[in-house]
């Protein structure tokens, strides 16, 4: 099936160049069938006019063959075309170099498109310059995606700044309230939870726009401050990602575990360690977090009483449709948390 007869006509009119014989047939077939917009310019004619443009080029720009051939490629430029990009193209032509540049071009109907232009020289068998080759690719959608991604990152940075301020204000209110009412220790506990929540969010805001966040980053941010010598916390996890709404719950739950371990568990004893691992369930429907303490004070499970931390954890998990299984071993707590992997 013939897609475009322009290559055949061009080859017939240029039998002296390298696009003849077998190579000419290959050129004809390739140019007729490719979806890549391609043109050739004559460097030996004044103003370096286009001498060939395939159908893809014509479709991309909206111009007919008769409106293209004989004109310099600059006719695709317009008022918003970046002159720096134009200068790079001009220099490549002068030095017979290869260049790839994104440039804003204009179609016949006046609409714009971002053109990823690949420009380079073509030589004959004797090394003489014959043509300049130009391929065009409409990357408008790619540019738009980049712009959206950049906007999302800027918004994330702004949100991060505002959230830090918000957490600082809340923390200040709690401290003032604690001093006024004489409950400084209770205020300190509340502030510890606020700080844990802030750390969980702070490390993940850049990913928030995607709607899916690496849970490992949040876990590390919350727990690392408790491992001051870097020897008492072992983290094991894969690249599981969670909805943004999951981060706060996971962060607060692990903070409660860490605070309890520091006061009564493995981290309250010299040499005690905590191992935390996480992964998706086999059917990928749930996030599983395994918390295991070893080397802590000897535990008598019959004497364990539910405290404020336990109540907070249970309430958080209940609200988020999660569950927890606690086992009190002699050397510390072993808990398995199950949390839905979907925000629904």
């Amino acid at each position: 099936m013939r897609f475009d007869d322009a290559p055949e006509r061009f080859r017939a009119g240029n039998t002296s160049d390298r696009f003849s014989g077998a190579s000419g047939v290959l050129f004809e077939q390739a140019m007729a069938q490719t979806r890549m917009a391609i043109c050739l310019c004559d460097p030996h004619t004044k103003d370096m006019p286009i001498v060939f443009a395939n159908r893809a080029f014509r479709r991309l720009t909206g111009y007919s063959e008769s409106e293209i051939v004989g004109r310099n490629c600059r006719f695709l430029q317009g008022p918003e075309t970046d002159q720096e990009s134009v200068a790079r193209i001009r220099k490549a032509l002068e030095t017979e170099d290869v260049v790839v540049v994104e440039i804003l071009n204009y179609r016949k109907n006046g609409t714009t498109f971002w053109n990823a232009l690949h420009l380079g020289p073509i030589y004959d068998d004797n090394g003489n310059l014959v043509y300049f080759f130009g391929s065009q690719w409409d990357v408008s959608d790619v540019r738009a995606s980049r712009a959206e991604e950049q906007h999302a990152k800027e918004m994330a940075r702004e949100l991060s700044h505002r959230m830090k301020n918000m957490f600082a204000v809340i923390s200040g209110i709690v401290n003032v309230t604690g001093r006024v009412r004489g409950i400084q220790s209770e205020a300190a506990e509340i502030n510890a939870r606020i700080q844990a929540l802030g750390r969980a969010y702070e490390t993940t805001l850049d990913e928030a726009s995607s709607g899916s966040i690496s849970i490992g980053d949040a876990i590390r941010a919350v727990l690392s401050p408790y491992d001051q010598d870097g020897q008492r916390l072992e983290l094991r996890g894969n690249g599981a990602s969670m909805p943004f709404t999951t981060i706060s719950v996971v962060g607060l739950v692990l903070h409660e575990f860490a605070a309890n371990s520091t006061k009564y568990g493995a981290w309250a004893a010299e040499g005690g360690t905590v191992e935390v691992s996480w992964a998706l369930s086999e059917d990928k429907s749930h996030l599983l977090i395994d918390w295991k303490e070893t080397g802590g004070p000897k535990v008598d499970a019959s004497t364990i009483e539910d405290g404020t931390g336990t109540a907070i954890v249970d309430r958080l998990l209940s609200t988020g449709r999660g569950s927890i299984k606690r086992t009190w071993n002699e050397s510390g707590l072993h808990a398995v948390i199950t949390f839905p992997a979907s925000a629904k």
Side-chain angles (χ1 to χ4, degrees):
M1 177 180 178
R2 178 167 298 174
F3 294 92
D4 186 5
D5 64 357
E8 181 183 10
R9 286 186 284 103
F10 171 77
R11 189 165 67 93
N14 295 271
T15 56
S16 62
D17 62 35
R18 67 182 301 170
F19 296 116
S20 58
S23 63
V25 174
L26 292 175
F27 167 81
E28 180 182 327
Q29 292 178 348
M31 292 303 100
Q33 297 182 41
T34 183
R35 295 182 180 180
M36 177 71 74
I38 293 172
C39 70
L40 297 176
C41 298
D42 183 358
H44 306 297
T45 301
K46 183 180 179 181
D47 207 27
M48 205 174 299
I50 298 173
V51 293
F52 168 76
N54 68 351
R55 178 173 294 179
F57 184 96
R58 303 195 299 269
R59 285 178 174 171
L60 174 63
T61 64
Y63 288 94
S64 66
E65 187 176 12
S66 63
E67 294 172 311
I68 296 171
V69 174
R71 302 176 70 179
N72 184 282
C73 286
R74 76 173 69 89
F75 81 97
L76 295 176
Q77 298 171 22
E80 298 298 323
T81 301
D82 180 23
Q83 291 307 303
E84 248 184 64
S85 299
V86 174
R88 288 182 60 196
I89 295 171
R90 186 182 301 113
K91 182 177 180 181
L93 293 173
E94 292 172 353
T95 58
E96 297 182 19
D97 203 357
V98 175
V99 68
V100 178
V101 60
E102 289 186 10
I103 185 170
L104 186 69
N105 280 163
Y106 289 72
R107 297 184 179 89
K108 182 178 180 179
N109 63 7
T111 60
T112 60
F113 67 97
W114 281 99
N115 180 10
L117 172 64
H118 182 169
L119 177 70
I122 295 177
Y123 301 98
D124 63 17
D125 294 334
N126 298 316
N128 299 314
L129 178 65
V130 182
Y131 299 109
F132 273 105
F133 166 93
S135 67
Q136 292 79 18
W137 176 35
D138 184 353
V139 293
S140 301
D141 290 342
V142 176
R143 293 275 301 206
S145 296
R146 285 185 204 152
E148 289 177 3
E149 182 179 354
Q150 181 61 32
H151 178 68
K153 288 182 178 179
E154 291 173 358
M155 289 295 291
R157 285 193 290 268
E158 178 62 21
L159 181 57
S160 176
H161 174 71
R162 295 190 182 195
M163 289 187 70
K164 286 178 183 177
N165 289 341
M166 179 187 70
F167 284 126
V169 169
I170 293 173
S171 180
I173 292 172
V174 171
N175 282 333
V176 170
T177 303
R179 286 198 301 269
V180 171
R181 299 188 178 181
I183 50 173
Q184 288 91 332
S185 61
E186 289 84 349
E189 287 187 14
I190 294 172
N191 264 332
R193 294 180 178 113
I194 293 171
Q195 291 164 9
L197 187 59
R199 291 195 302 273
Y201 275 118
E202 184 178 344
T203 59
T204 57
L205 282 172
D206 282 344
E207 303 174 70
S209 60
S210 69
S212 187
I213 300 165
S214 173
I215 192 66
D217 292 340
I219 290 175
R220 292 184 185 91
V222 171
L223 297 181
S224 293
Y226 293 94
D227 185 27
Q228 296 182 2
D229 60 6
Q231 303 294 320
R232 308 186 69 185
L233 172 65
E234 184 174 354
L235 300 175
R236 297 180 179 178
N238 55 21
S241 294
M242 292 288 106
F244 190 59
T245 52
T246 302
I247 298 303
S248 58
V249 176
V250 170
L252 285 173
V253 167
L254 292 181
H255 162 72
E256 294 301 327
F257 283 172
N260 184 76
S261 180
T262 301
K263 290 181 179 179
Y264 312 111
W267 285 337
E270 186 175 352
T273 61
V274 175
E275 178 183 311
V276 182
S277 61
W278 63 92
L280 291 175
S281 59
E282 288 187 9
D283 62 1
K284 301 188 184 305
S285 63
H286 287 79
L287 172 69
L288 307 177
I289 299 178
D290 190 281
W291 173 284
K292 187 175 182 180
E293 299 183 27
T294 56
K298 187 175 181 179
V299 176
D300 182 356
S302 64
T303 64
I304 299 296
E305 295 182 359
D306 293 345
T308 302
T310 299
I312 290 174
V313 169
D314 290 347
R315 175 63 64 87
L316 286 169
L317 291 174
S318 175
T319 301
R321 298 179 295 114
S323 63
I324 183 171
K325 179 181 179 182
R326 297 179 179 89
T327 302
W328 293 98
N329 300 316
E330 285 192 0
S331 59
L333 171 65
H334 180 202
V336 178
I337 302 168
T338 303
F339 205 85
S342 170
K344 296 180 180 179

